[in-house]
Amino acid sequence: MSPIRPANSGTDTIKSMRSRLIISLVSIAIILGLGAVISLVEYRRVAGKLEDIAGNTKAINDLRASITNLENYNLNILSCVGEESTEHLPVFDREAFASSIYAIAKDPANRMSSQAADSVIYLLDAYLALASELENVIVADFVDSRMWYFETLKPSHDRLLYYLAGQSAELTIVLNDASSAFDNGLYRAIVPEIIAVAVTVLLFLVLGFFMIRTYINPLYRMLDALNAYRSNDKKYNYRFDGDDQLAALNDGISEIAEENRQLRSRIRTLRRDSYGDKNEE
């Protein structure tokens, strides 16, 4: 009769079985953690891009509002020139316009340099300097106010408007770049988490299949073989290959069952011999 595996061998097999489960769970945790870290980093970038988009959108709206105010002022000048009247001379809020332009240039996300803002204000001041002559032009008998508007004031207005339109186009490009970066960042933030979840589900399925095939099915077969041994006095003959404690347990049950079967066989033999001797007497 062969001895059952020694204790140190059993300890090694316990470590082996435990390590398989730990390695599987740690692998799943690492994949989920890695996906979460990548997604968190990308989400932070996306949040930054979202702030840029909000700032770009506000800058474009503010610039368009400033252009609208400038156009209304220019149309009021043209109305005064057409009516040859100084009764309702238009007033332009230069400070509000300048503060809006410099606020746009102050935000790095808008990519408008301070030099560009200075150029806008320089062109504005040149235009307003000419527009300030409106009253004198209208009341002067020797000056044709319409000719003054189209040949003197309007070119200055057009230069300012052209420059502002260029800055608005630049802000639109910046907004489109930020939107594209946001879309790409959002994709990069979502995809790793989706992949991590999909891989985790796959690993759980593989782990479940492994547990059923390696541990659950052998346990059921061991139980069936043990019940057959106990109820029908059959030999415990279930064997399977393995190097963990379940295989060691099965070997131990097999050896104990075989010892018990041999012991019962010897007891029956002794009883028959004893009964035969009594009959002879």
Side-chain angles (χ1 to χ4, degrees), residues 49 51-67 97 100-114 116-117 120 162-180:
K49 293 299 179 182
E51 292 178 359
D52 292 344
I53 291 173
N56 297 146
T57 303
K58 182 178 183 303
I60 291 174
N61 292 334
D62 290 346
L63 184 59
R64 288 176 178 174
S66 298
I67 293 175
F97 186 96
S100 177
I101 295 299
Y102 282 120
I104 294 172
K106 187 177 180 180
D107 189 349
N110 295 324
R111 301 181 195 171
M112 177 187 284
S113 64
S114 59
V120 171
Y162 178 80
Y163 197 83
L164 288 172
Q167 295 302 314
S168 178
E170 289 292 333
L171 289 176
T172 303
I173 292 173
V174 172
L175 177 61
N176 292 334
D177 292 343
S179 299
S180 298

Side-chain angles (χ1 to χ4, degrees), residues 33 58 61 89 117 130 203 210 221 233-234:
K58 182 178 183 303
N61 292 334
L89 293 177
L130 294 174
L203 285 177
F210 172 78
R221 289 168 184 162
D233 198 23
K234 292 183 178 180

Side-chain angles (χ1 to χ4, degrees), residues 45-159:
R45 293 180 181 177
V46 167
K49 293 299 179 182
L50 191 60
E51 292 178 359
D52 292 344
I53 291 173
N56 297 146
T57 303
K58 182 178 183 303
I60 291 174
N61 292 334
D62 290 346
L63 184 59
R64 288 176 178 174
S66 298
I67 293 175
T68 300
N69 293 334
L70 180 65
E71 286 298 280
N72 291 335
Y73 176 71
N74 187 70
L75 289 175
N76 290 333
I77 291 178
L78 183 60
S79 177
C80 291
V81 170
E83 296 174 0
E84 293 287 340
S85 171
T86 60
E87 186 176 353
H88 301 289
L89 293 177
V91 177
F92 187 79
D93 191 349
R94 179 191 178 280
E95 296 302 323
F97 186 96
S99 63
S100 177
I101 295 299
Y102 282 120
I104 294 172
K106 187 177 180 180
D107 189 349
N110 295 324
R111 301 181 195 171
M112 177 187 284
S113 64
S114 59
Q115 291 83 358
D118 291 338
S119 297
V120 171
I121 301 305
Y122 173 79
L123 292 174
L124 174 68
D125 288 339
Y127 169 72
L128 293 178
L130 294 174
S132 64
E133 302 174 1
L134 175 62
E135 184 177 6
N136 295 332
V137 168
I138 291 175
V139 299
D141 295 333
F142 57 88
V143 179
D144 186 342
S145 58
R146 289 180 176 81
M147 183 178 296
W148 169 84
Y149 175 81
F150 287 104
E151 294 184 0
T152 303
L153 185 63
K154 190 174 185 302
S156 178
H157 165 266
D158 290 344
R159 283 193 296 271

Side-chain angles (χ1 to χ4, degrees), residues 233-250:
D233 198 23
K234 292 183 178 180
K235 184 178 180 180
Y236 184 89
N237 57 2
Y238 179 64
R239 296 287 186 276
F240 67 94
D241 295 331
D243 58 353
D244 52 26
Q245 75 247 41
L246 188 61
L249 178 63
N250 185 66

